Amino acid sequence: MGTGIDLPLDQVMVGDCLDMLRQLPPASVHAIFADPPYNLQLKGSLVRPEGGRVDGVDDAWDRFDSFPAYDAFTRAWLTECRRVLRKDGTIWVIGAYHNVFRLGTALQDLGYWILNDVVWRKSNPMPNFRGRRFTNAHETMIWASRGPESRYKFNYAAMKSLNDDVQMRSDWLIPLCTGAERLRDEDGKKVHPTQKPEALLHRVILSCTSPGEVVLDPFMGSGTTAAVAKRLGRRFIGIERDETYAAAAQARIDAITPMPESAALSLPAKREQPRVPFGTLVERGLVPAGSRLVDRHRRWKAEVGADGTLRCGKAVGSIHKVGAAVQEAPSCNGWLFWHVEHPNGSLRLLDELRAEIAGS
Amino acid sequence: MGTGIDLPLDQVMVGDCLDMLRQLPPASVHAIFADPPYNLQLKGSLVRPEGGRVDGVDDAWDRFDSFPAYDAFTRAWLTECRRVLRKDGTIWVIGAYHNVFRLGTALQDLGYWILNDVVWRKSNPMPNFRGRRFTNAHETMIWASRGPESRYKFNYAAMKSLNDDVQMRSDWLIPLCTGAERLRDEDGKKVHPTQKPEALLHRVILSCTSPGEVVLDPFMGSGTTAAVAKRLGRRFIGIERDETYAAAAQARIDAITPMPESAALSLPAKREQPRVPFGTLVERGLVPAGSRLVDRHRRWKAEVGADGTLRCGKAVGSIHKVGAAVQEAPSCNGWLFWHVEHPNGSLRLLDELRAEIAGS
DNA sequence: CGTCACAGTGAATCTAAAG
DNA sequence: GCTTTAGATTCACTGTGAC
């Protein structure tokens, strides 16, 4: 990694988010997950139909006097995060309708480039007791790169695998953090009011980091980000102001055993696999020089040159160039266009032949 | 109603949104649905894997010079809308991640009170062709009252009955506007690039208005809001700058017959089939990454990857692919082949685990 | 008339490595 | 930095035409 010299890796920094962020070197973390205070502005307490009181979020850290005050706070920590984020890093920010629009606006104004907004659909949300609104059944995460030209990382194949081999969508159905996963104190009271489910962080961290990379959480709370990062073989930096939360998180993290690296590595995408030039197939006699390639419908035939070029009428060049030329298309992936014709008449795609010799 | 004296009811006002809004009397409409330009900021063109080109939104009306320019425009029309909205009225605003955070921030800054953000989940979105992001499968609507103390209308019972007698949630699954509903010209070209589905407006209008009340759409486009309002026995006011759009909308509206009020409450609720990808079991810790699966006879063991892939010797891939590979069979249903082994030695079929979490 | 194969399409901020 | 080239990449649904 090369930049990790001064990084307090795999630690919880106890202190103010801004103070701690300022101690980190620039361009040093691969990903950030931030679950900032929600600015909920609840008035009075909410009472359930049967009389019980709803244990809502009314902690002091969650109250701001005004939108400008909240915006100033938001811009301050997002500015520091952008400094700390590597050029190719990405940030995730989660919020609900009370604050997420301020977060998104601030991200854009500070130069971040939004890649997706991702909806966490809660399978078991709290109902709306008064029947005055729709059940508030989701929260929104914003995924952004450092800027519009960033070459950010996205583990497309891993996300596709997670979703039964179809593209992962921007709406994720995941249950709330309940049961054994929810941290509770001796009295059975929940340690943190907004503990996020590990399944959510599993998908987030898997989507945009590789094993060994560094994930920063500037509002660590109960430590879900750090716990999942450790389990997935990533490094983490957690920042938490509240000492009770920090201690609970530390104990939780200590109990985690990382999974074997073979499990943490996701299936490499095709574009990350070693390349086999077409000329190699010619050299090895799989596609002999002088033989002919055809497209799927046998509309075009092309002759293979000893140097790995194709010829089809006037078109001469790589399998891609000639494929594009005969179709009069702007571009073409020759591997998926040209076929070898067997004497028995069956066709084999070049891409299949390539797969056979990859790794040999 | 009492305020309708000067209202141009059930008409399309052709002209600039701000000019037309200023002609309307204050506190005169019960609900507003606004689908403003998204400021998509598309650069070059996008080519599909098979070679086709995406017909993107490149209309002049969607181009703004900067975020401040877009914000100024947004604040101007939202200010006029607030003046025109009755005290007990509500507004819906729809957008995507490009603009919706600006919209929400402006709403809050102008004194509106957000009641819900509602996610329109598209059942058939366009995929992400380059595999560089999550499929952009939703848009966001913000529902807000005129201010924090508003006595707004919410037809809770109607929403509940629309949803099989459980509270309507904040995430709605509705298909894109395609097929016969999509307005097309003589050449078969779509009349408007972003026509909204009637099912979406059906739910919106039904949720917050009564028959006879007035719905305003300041960016009417192809007229979906007006068409649904008329069908549901509501009055409408449409504003549209583009004469072609306005004419198409007028023709569409003229062809509508209002439905009897009793019928307004029946909407085929699309049941969701609970499809659970194997990766979900991994994320949720039911089948931990790094653990092993075995077949019924314990002849093969496979390691579970964090991305939901299996590894068994050289075979890597989905539970189905690896199941087929080890058996040297053409195909295999991994759900019925692989088992989790308990510490006590008993086996549980994956399909049983899946059944447990289906729908949660 | 049914079935199947194939083409078309939808608010899209859509590449990465080598030279 | 730049330009050039290789080559990776799609889901759900609708409509049409062949058989």
Side-chain angles (χ1 to χ4, degrees):
Chain A
M1 249 44 60
T3 58
I5 314 170
D6 299 326
L7 282 181
L9 287 176
D10 306 326
Q11 293 175 35
V12 179
M13 304 171 76
V14 184
D16 175 73
C17 159
L18 280 176
D19 294 341
M20 297 298 113
L21 282 172
R22 291 196 183 106
Q23 292 179 22
L24 297 177
S28 53
V29 307
H30 297 83
I32 299 175
F33 182 86
D35 181 13
Y38 275 26
N39 190 32
L40 287 184
Q41 302 177 322
L42 290 180
K43 286 172 188 154
S45 67
L46 187 59
V47 178
R48 294 175 193 268
E50 75 275 14
R53 195 181 159 281
V54 173
D55 186 15
V57 174
D58 59 354
D59 302 81
W61 52 258
D62 203 39
R63 282 196 293 271
F64 287 85
D65 290 336
S66 62
F67 284 126
Y70 189 76
D71 291 342
F73 166 73
T74 301
R75 276 155 214 267
W77 68 261
L78 278 177
T79 300
E80 281 306 306
C81 280
R82 192 155 180 274
R83 183 184 66 80
V84 168
L85 192 62
R86 287 165 53 107
K87 262 191 182 173
D88 55 357
T90 57
I91 186 171
W92 291 78
V93 176
I94 184 167
Y97 65 82
H98 312 84
N99 70 325
V100 75
F101 305 113
R102 324 299 303 190
L103 297 177
T105 298
L107 280 167
Q108 291 179 316
D109 289 346
L110 293 174
Y112 289 97
W113 191 246
I114 298 180
L115 300 168
N116 276 116
D117 59 333
V118 173
V119 174
W120 168 27
R121 301 176 52 221
K122 304 174 185 181
S123 57
N124 49 349
M126 197 190 313
N128 185 284
F129 293 115
R130 298 209 166 129
R132 297 292 298 142
R133 304 181 182 196
F134 299 97
T135 306
N136 196 3
H138 74 276
E139 294 184 28
T140 302
M141 294 182 290
I142 306 174
W143 181 45
S145 64
R146 205 171 172 286
E149 307 298 334
S150 298
R151 295 208 173 169
Y152 60 92
K153 172 175 292 181
F154 177 52
N155 294 322
Y156 175 77
M159 289 298 100
K160 194 169 170 174
S161 300
L162 262 190
N163 196 37
D164 271 1
D165 286 337
V166 293
Q167 282 192 348
M168 186 69 81
R169 296 171 39 118
S170 57
D171 52 336
W172 301 356
L173 182 68
I174 291 174
L176 291 168
C177 179
T178 58
E181 186 184 321
R182 189 91 199 209
L183 297 188
R184 298 187 181 276
D185 60 19
E186 312 80 40
D187 307 327
K189 243 191 78 191
K190 51 194 180 193
V191 167
H192 193 277
T194 64
Q195 183 178 341
K196 295 291 174 289
E198 296 197 0
L200 188 73
L201 269 296
H202 181 113
R203 201 176 288 184
V204 164
I205 292 174
L206 204 61
S207 74
C208 64
T209 65
S210 299
E213 293 186 345
V214 181
V215 181
L216 165 69
D217 187 338
F219 305 98
M220 198 192 51
S222 58
T224 306
T225 304
V228 176
K230 182 175 177 187
R231 180 171 300 127
L232 288 174
R234 274 71 171 171
R235 317 298 297 268
F236 68 86
I237 303 171
I239 299 175
E240 176 53 50
R241 185 173 56 180
D242 184 291
E243 293 187 11
T244 310
Y245 296 162
Q250 187 65 61
R252 176 185 184 186
I253 295 161
D254 290 341
I256 302 267
T257 309
M259 64 178 59
E261 200 186 340
S262 56
L265 284 170
S266 50
L267 204 59
K270 208 169 183 181
R271 54 168 74 93
E272 289 153 13
Q273 291 165 4
R275 288 190 179 179
V276 177
F278 177 63
T280 303
L281 302 191
V282 180
E283 283 172 352
R284 300 200 187 174
L286 282 160
V287 183
S291 66
R292 288 176 186 282
L293 299 182
V294 297
D295 69 297
R296 191 163 60 105
H297 304 291
R298 294 186 173 82
R299 292 211 283 169
W300 293 288
K301 287 188 192 205
E303 189 186 51
V304 178
D307 57 355
T309 56
L310 281 194
R311 249 165 235 275
C312 179
K314 282 185 184 172
V316 184
S318 71
I319 53 174
H320 316 295
K321 271 195 174 163
V322 175
V326 298
Q327 295 180 95
E328 298 179 29
S331 69
C332 167
N333 184 341
W335 294 106
L336 303 175
F337 181 75
W338 295 109
H339 300 247
V340 173
E341 197 167 9
H342 245 251
N344 67 13
S346 71
L347 297 182
R348 293 225 42 205
L349 193 58
L350 285 189
D351 203 48
E352 295 173 20
L353 290 175
R354 172 170 65 162
E356 283 180 10
I357 66 161
S360 66
Chain B
M1 255 40 56
T3 57
I5 315 170
D6 296 326
L7 284 182
L9 289 177
D10 305 326
Q11 293 173 34
V12 178
M13 303 171 76
V14 183
D16 175 74
C17 160
L18 280 175
D19 295 342
M20 296 298 113
L21 282 171
R22 291 197 181 104
Q23 293 178 22
L24 297 177
S28 53
V29 307
H30 297 82
I32 298 175
F33 182 87
D35 181 12
Y38 281 16
N39 189 24
L40 285 188
Q41 309 175 66
L42 300 179
K43 292 160 193 168
S45 67
L46 179 60
V47 178
R48 298 168 185 267
E50 85 279 8
R53 277 210 153 74
V54 174
D55 182 18
V57 177
D58 59 351
D59 305 78
W61 52 254
D62 198 49
R63 286 195 286 269
F64 291 82
D65 290 335
S66 62
F67 281 129
Y70 187 78
D71 292 341
F73 165 74
T74 300
R75 276 154 211 267
W77 68 260
L78 278 176
T79 299
E80 281 307 306
C81 280
R82 192 155 179 272
R83 183 184 65 79
V84 168
L85 192 61
R86 286 165 54 108
K87 263 191 182 175
D88 56 356
T90 56
I91 186 171
W92 291 79
V93 176
I94 184 168
Y97 65 84
H98 316 77
N99 70 324
V100 75
F101 305 112
R102 326 299 302 191
L103 297 177
T105 297
L107 281 166
Q108 291 178 316
D109 288 347
L110 294 173
Y112 289 98
W113 191 249
I114 298 180
L115 300 168
N116 277 115
D117 58 332
V118 173
V119 173
W120 167 28
R121 301 177 51 223
K122 303 175 185 182
S123 57
N124 50 349
M126 184 159 40
N128 184 286
F129 293 116
R130 305 303 288 268
R132 293 298 296 146
R133 303 180 177 198
F134 298 98
T135 308
N136 194 4
H138 74 277
E139 294 185 25
T140 302
M141 295 183 290
I142 306 173
W143 181 44
S145 64
R146 204 172 172 287
E149 308 298 334
S150 297
R151 294 203 177 172
Y152 62 92
K153 172 175 292 184
F154 176 53
N155 295 321
Y156 175 77
M159 288 300 100
K160 192 168 172 177
S161 51
L162 259 190
N163 196 37
D164 282 352
D165 283 333
V166 293
Q167 282 190 355
M168 185 70 81
R169 296 168 43 114
S170 55
D171 52 336
W172 301 355
L173 182 68
I174 292 174
L176 293 170
C177 178
T178 59
E181 187 184 320
R182 189 89 198 209
L183 299 188
R184 298 190 180 274
D185 61 19
E186 313 82 38
D187 306 326
K189 247 191 72 187
K190 53 192 179 192
V191 167
H192 192 278
T194 69
Q195 183 178 343
K196 295 292 174 290
E198 295 197 1
L200 189 73
L201 271 295
H202 183 113
R203 202 177 286 183
V204 165
I205 292 174
L206 207 60
S207 74
C208 64
T209 65
S210 299
E213 293 186 345
V214 181
V215 181
L216 166 68
D217 187 338
F219 304 96
M220 200 191 51
S222 57
T224 306
T225 305
V228 176
K230 181 176 178 187
R231 180 171 299 129
L232 289 175
R234 274 71 171 174
R235 316 297 298 266
F236 69 85
I237 302 172
I239 299 175
E240 176 51 51
R241 185 172 57 179
D242 183 290
E243 293 187 10
T244 310
Y245 296 161
Q250 187 65 60
R252 175 185 184 186
I253 296 160
D254 290 342
I256 302 267
T257 309
M259 61 172 64
E261 199 183 325
S262 56
L265 287 179
S266 67
L267 177 77
K270 187 157 184 172
R271 294 301 300 178
E272 251 175 277
Q273 70 281 23
R275 191 181 70 87
V276 179
F278 176 65
T280 300
L281 303 190
V282 179
E283 283 177 344
R284 299 195 188 174
L286 285 161
V287 182
S291 67
R292 287 175 188 284
L293 299 182
V294 297
D295 69 295
R296 193 161 55 106
H297 306 292
R298 292 187 173 84
R299 290 210 286 167
W300 293 287
K301 287 187 190 205
E303 189 189 49
V304 177
D307 57 356
T309 55
L310 283 193
R311 258 161 227 268
C312 180
K314 281 187 183 171
V316 184
S318 69
I319 53 173
H320 314 296
K321 277 190 181 159
V322 175
V326 298
Q327 297 180 94
E328 299 180 27
S331 67
C332 165
N333 183 343
W335 293 107
L336 303 175
F337 179 75
W338 295 106
H339 301 248
V340 174
E341 194 166 10
H342 246 252
N344 66 13
S346 70
L347 297 184
R348 291 219 50 201
L349 193 56
L350 285 188
D351 205 47
E352 295 173 21
L353 289 175
R354 171 170 67 162
E356 281 179 13
I357 65 159
S360 68

